[in-house]
Amino acid sequence: MTFVVGAAREMAALVGAGATGLLVGGMSTAFYFALIGLAFGLAWHVGTWATFTYHVHEDRFQTRRALVGRTVKSVPRERIRGVDISSTLGHRLLGLAIVHVDAGADGGEIVLNAVAQREAERLRRVLLARARGAEAPQPVKRRRELAHIRPRWFLYAPLSGAYLLTPFAVAGSLLGTLYNLGDDLGLITRDRVERLGRDAAGLPTGVVVLVIMLFLVAMPVASVIAFTLFNWDFTVYERDGSIVAERGLVTRRSVALERRRVRGVELSDNPFERLAGVVRLGALVTGLGDAAHRGRLLPAAPRSVAVTLASRVLGPVPAPLIPHPHAARGRRLVRATFPALGAAALCALAGNLWLAVVCLVAALMAVPLGLDRYRQLGHADDGVRLTVRSGSLRRRQYIVEHDAIVGWRVRRTLFQRRAGLATLHAAVGAGEGGCAAVDMSESDALAMAWTITPDWITPFLAPPRAPKPSRGRRPKRT
């Protein structure tokens, strides 16, 4: 079956090329070259399948390829961060699955294309087992469901810009394919392109408005369809010491994250999702590659559901958030309006007054953005977990365990020092490498770092100076 999948993919590509060559030039040299390429591709897949093996040892997972030159890839089992199982529609019809073994950002990835679904599940249990010598598959424990998507949540798709722009991506891909195919078949010429442009420019205004309206209506509909295809039956459950997330309609994907390596979670949203009470949830996993996709625990979902899932995965979310000083509000306003004000000043110096007015209006419109950025700033700590929040157009709230913090960085620019502020960055070996509490009070930043890791911070704090005795007087004994 592994050979069948590879051969089918090779045949689909080469048969398409051969059919195109047959339509354009008949029984020409290009057509025969396509047939030769098809035969070579089939022989290549047979040889690849016959010379590829994988082994699960007590301390490592190893693959070998020996078709032309021998290639051995070995990954220590201790470095394996997750096992991703996906199945396209063709794989599911044949009872197969694709296994991605993630060995961290520096360890690379091993891909087993088209193994039996039962073998894929066995590999996941064995590779994620922490006991040495656990070669035999352990009995499957009953899974405990943590969260499940509801059909009405699919309507949240238009709130996300990525899904809302789906019609543009589909239209661009379709037009590009049609253009390339028409160019290969000789159907597209310069005269025809010019004629088509003149016809499009001569369309009545009503027709143009109707087409634009249809496209605008298609945007939310297409976003819901794309959201459904990617996140159909999204289920998060716990089994065998791992957090497993399954999703997808056409291509079914199952990602297993070792629970002991989940060191935090991330809640993110945009202004539209915030108004609807919707948020996305992701896991911060130590050394996980492609964490933005593999660490996803929930797509757009109600905030209460996401917070509940975060509590089940990591623990209670610290609350309420402590607001940052009022001095941070001025910095947020300056950073939001300064680009437009600077552009207005340059335009005024250049004598372009109407463009300067436009920039001033843009600066005025940026004031609410700066105020919202200040309102979203906050931090909290419950003695076990730390949470920080910042951002407006893309608001992020990180919740990390104290044990996951591997270092601190205190950043104070010239303007921050004048305002008595500091940005405290907690280094975490997961996700994007850390999280930052922006524009905290300088004393609060140092106090929070000292509270979590006093042994690290104490050597950097200046000891109190002893008072100097006055001249001619003996110092008082205390």
Side-chain angles (χ1 to χ4, degrees), residues 103-117:
D106 298 328
E109 181 184 62
I110 293 179
V111 180
L112 302 180
N113 191 358
V115 299
Q117 290 184 355

Side-chain angles (χ1 to χ4, degrees), residues 285-299:
V285 184
T286 305
L288 182 66
D290 193 16
H293 295 90
R294 293 187 177 179
R296 185 184 304 172
L297 294 179
L298 266 185

